[in-house]
Amino acid sequence: MIPKNISKITPIIGLQWGDEGKGKGVARIASGLSKNDLIVRFQGGNNAGHTIWHKGKCYVFKLIPSGVFGKAQIHLGAGMVIDPIAFQKETTTIPSNIPFLGRLSVSPHAVLVMPTHLILDSISEKTKGSRKIGSTGRGIGPAYTELASRSALRVGDIFQNDFQKRYEALSQQHKKILHNLYKYKINNEEFEEKQKNFFLGVKFLRSLSIVNSADLVEKTLSKKNKVVAEGAQGTLLDVRFGNYPFVTSSHTIASGVGTGLGLSPAFIGGAIGIFKAYTTKVGEGPFPTELGGKKSAIWCRDKKFPYEKETFPNPNPNSKNEFEQGIALRRLGSELGAVTGRLRRTGWLDIPLMQYAIKINNATQLVLTKLDVFDEFKKIKVCTSYIINGKRTTKIPFDLSRKEIKCKINCKYKSFPVWKGKLSDYGKKLPKEALNYIKFLEKTLGAKIIYIGTGPEEHHCVERYWR
Ligand code: GDP
Ligand code: IMO
Ligand code: MG
């Protein structure tokens, strides 16, 4: 039986298409945690790119929880897919004066991403042509496919005598698929090098503490310590409840905390939902509020940042041309993929989409990031409803059939004036224009905004109702 007054795990979830600023949010929360508290990742792998600025230096975490600079225990949970090469490499990015290996543990149930998964990921994307998803190419989809087809190698397997044999059999199987189905020829020299690093990564994993996620979380909660679950990706990228098929391969929503850690729903508390003051998306798929619409989608798919910078050296954030305005938003918000460096598509905040995300995650508290990015804008627009097939609706269009997704979605907007000067210069007292915007969001979204991001660094934030 689960005790009645059990403490609950707090999911921290992205409410949009990822890159909402979860890394910074988790790092902020982690700084208030003690050595007996716990931060866990419960899904995804190194498709995530969580940026934090710590003591003037920028770090991008992909597998290691963003709270590593705090005191809390950190855990890579059962629902994750772990690339041992990427993981080992990432651990070397943490400064040597931050002892973290003694606080780090990994679930035996997490799935291993193999070198052949990375090749399968990029080849299958290439062959999809115009139907591609825009995957990060980190082998995430193939690794989760392996889990579903019940042939995956998991962290616990690395301690078994037959691990090498099983690895080779599976790797051979992948090579056959690559050869027979995709006519792909592996560069043996390159592959051998990757494989060598894979086994070095496996050796590193063997040296770590391997702990059952559910046992660890339950033990921590039973001692009245705090547990925070750091989400990766965002709600609209959830494999089932995002805008399928333009999604990742895991459950990114708060329910994923239960299945990703092996916990009963009784342990899952209200989520902290993180969202940007606007919307971004990397990869393919519909994006109703995208500035510049289809032109922007194609541009971001095909162009690289240096080309965009040369073509638009000074994009005007108040341009009447929405495509240019989208570029200005990308430039001012530094919206380049933290993992792949791709141009992130940009658009206005989408309230129906946020309402969907808040509901599905039971987000009881909100974190608003990147409000400062609007410093040079004259007005902020927010989409309050859609017009689909001539009808006004607040229902998100992604539950519709694929045919309907292709229909034209028009957005109805509400505008807000922007403050004078820089938001960060106002310190902890936000200007009235920013407060008006925040109050509108709280009222429309039905949850308190507990933290507002006013810049990328640790101290760039205004806390409200912070416990
Ligand atoms: P995550 O994947 O959700 O952790 O987000 P990313 O790290 O991929 O992208 C968020 C980007 O916004 C990073 O470059 C952060 O440094 C930056 N960032 C986070 N919060 C703020 C903020 O409030 N203002 C500004 N200007 N940048 C922010
Ligand atoms: P964080 O945690 C933004 C997107 C990819 C692609 C789709 C599938 O930093 O918010 P995948 O490699 O998972 O098979 O790609 O999902 N995607 C992300 N977009 N932020 C992320 O992570 C993402 N992880 C995956 O661009 O469209
Ligand atoms: Mg990111």
Side-chain angles (χ1 to χ4, degrees):
M1 277 290 282
I2 296 163
K4 262 201 178 133
N5 294 324
I6 186 85
S7 311
K8 294 190 179 181
I9 189 164
T10 305
I12 301 189
I13 307 287
L15 298 179
Q16 296 160 316
W17 271 290
D19 304 326
E20 296 89 350
K22 298 176 291 294
K24 186 182 161 192
V26 170
R28 175 73 196 95
I29 290 163
S31 66
L33 297 180
S34 80
K35 69 177 177 33
N36 298 319
D37 296 327
L38 173 66
I39 304 173
V40 292
R41 276 276 305 268
F42 59 94
Q43 48 71 232
N46 59 328
N47 48 349
H50 296 179
T51 316
I52 70 162
W53 282 84
H54 181 73
K55 298 194 171 155
K57 233 185 124 192
C58 181
Y59 298 84
V60 180
F61 294 116
K62 292 154 186 172
L63 290 157
I64 298 176
S66 302
V68 65
F69 291 124
K71 293 193 192 80
Q73 305 299 308
I74 46 180
H75 179 70
L76 273 61
M80 289 186 74
V81 289
I82 299 174
D83 177 339
I85 306 177
F87 183 42
Q88 185 175 25
K89 195 167 160 215
E90 190 175 332
T91 58
T92 64
T93 65
I94 315 278
S96 53
N97 63 340
I98 308 285
F100 71 98
L101 287 175
R103 293 185 279 129
L104 172 74
S105 63
V106 183
S107 161
H109 298 120
V111 167
L112 294 176
V113 179
M114 299 165 58
T116 38
H117 286 146
L118 273 79
I119 307 175
L120 282 166
D121 199 7
S122 63
I123 294 299
S124 86
E125 277 280 271
K126 271 191 195 134
T127 54
K128 276 186 186 141
S130 63
R131 285 176 48 249
K132 73 172 186 175
I133 308 292
S135 130
T136 57
R138 299 298 184 266
I140 308 299
Y144 277 115
T145 305
E146 204 88 70
L147 175 74
S149 64
R150 287 142 295 176
S151 43
L153 287 173
R154 305 193 292 175
V155 170
D157 294 325
I158 63 178
F159 298 97
Q160 305 298 322
N161 292 335
D162 63 352
F163 176 70
Q164 175 103 15
K165 216 167 113 196
R166 283 183 61 198
Y167 167 85
E168 267 155 25
L170 202 51
S171 189
Q172 277 309 324
Q173 216 173 302
H174 296 156
K175 285 179 184 166
K176 260 191 207 150
I177 296 172
L178 285 165
H179 181 264
N180 297 345
L181 190 66
Y182 299 113
K183 311 284 172 245
Y184 181 82
K185 202 173 165 336
I186 286 183
N187 174 332
N188 279 332
E189 209 176 307
E190 233 173 63
F191 186 76
E192 288 305 319
E193 183 65 21
K194 286 221 173 82
Q195 204 157 251
K196 198 177 101 201
N197 291 335
F198 175 84
F199 281 104
L200 285 174
V202 165
K203 190 172 165 209
F204 171 68
L205 269 173
R206 274 198 204 104
S207 71
L208 298 177
S209 160
I210 307 297
V211 178
N212 183 299
S213 301
D215 291 349
L216 180 63
V217 171
E218 288 178 30
K219 200 168 117 200
T220 310
L221 289 174
S222 70
K223 291 184 181 155
K224 300 278 174 229
N225 293 311
K226 295 194 182 90
V227 183
V228 165
E230 173 177 351
Q233 291 78 54
T235 301
L236 272 298
L237 288 170
D238 183 274
V239 64
R240 188 168 281 127
F241 302 107
N243 65 317
Y244 191 87
F246 305 101
V247 292
T248 188
S249 330
S250 65
H251 284 296
T252 60
I253 56 175
S255 312
V257 174
T259 52
L261 299 173
L263 290 174
S264 137
F267 286 103
I268 322 290
I272 297 181
I274 304 204
F275 70 110
K276 274 179 196 170
Y278 49 94
T279 311
T280 63
K281 180 170 177 33
V282 232
E284 309 299 310
F287 179 174
T289 61
E290 182 163 17
L291 277 157
K294 206 170 173 185
K295 186 173 172 191
S296 158
I298 295 169
W299 176 271
C300 294
R301 186 191 65 197
D302 296 343
K303 303 287 187 253
K304 300 254 180 315
F305 180 64
Y307 179 81
E308 179 173 278
K309 201 160 174 231
E310 204 183 302
T311 319
F312 290 91
N314 294 303
N316 177 3
N318 301 300
S319 170
K320 293 248 177 317
N321 177 343
E322 290 197 340
F323 175 68
E324 183 183 352
Q325 213 179 4
I327 293 177
L329 186 50
R330 179 157 51 251
R331 189 75 46 87
L332 294 166
S334 307
E335 296 298 353
L336 298 176
V339 174
T340 57
R342 288 181 287 177
L343 299 178
R344 290 178 183 158
R345 298 158 65 191
T346 52
W348 300 115
L349 185 68
D350 187 328
I351 296 284
L353 195 146
M354 289 287 303
Q355 283 166 332
Y356 170 74
I358 286 169
K359 185 165 159 242
I360 201 166
N361 289 301
N362 182 28
T364 50
Q365 304 180 88
L366 302 174
V367 167
L368 170 66
T369 65
K370 307 193 89 160
L371 191 55
D372 55 295
V373 172
F374 285 123
D375 280 352
E376 291 177 35
F377 281 68
K378 288 205 173 77
K379 59 182 181 188
I380 307 175
K381 281 168 70 176
V382 175
C383 164
T384 50
S385 61
Y386 311 118
I387 311 285
I388 301 178
N389 294 334
K391 286 200 193 91
R392 190 172 175 144
T393 176
T394 51
K395 190 169 156 40
I396 62 154
F398 311 129
D399 276 340
L400 306 177
S401 69
R402 287 215 210 172
K403 190 170 142 251
E404 281 168 298
I405 285 177
K406 284 192 184 137
C407 75
K408 180 130 178 69
I409 301 166
N410 285 312
C411 298
K412 283 286 245 188
Y413 290 104
K414 187 174 164 59
S415 295
F416 294 84
V418 174
W419 47 92
K420 298 251 170 329
K422 290 174 91 178
L423 198 60
S424 57
D425 290 344
Y426 287 83
K428 302 290 168 199
K429 199 170 174 304
L430 290 168
K432 65 176 189 314
E433 292 85 355
L435 284 170
N436 275 346
Y437 175 67
I438 290 163
K439 281 183 187 148
F440 164 81
L441 293 179
E442 287 185 327
K443 193 162 168 231
T444 325
L445 300 173
K448 291 261 181 270
I449 296 177
I450 57 170
Y451 171 110
I452 294 124
T454 57
E457 296 192 36
E458 279 167 318
H459 62 279
H460 290 140
C461 68
V462 174
E463 287 166 8
R464 306 160 84 229
Y465 323 104
W466 197 259
R467 281 175 302 162

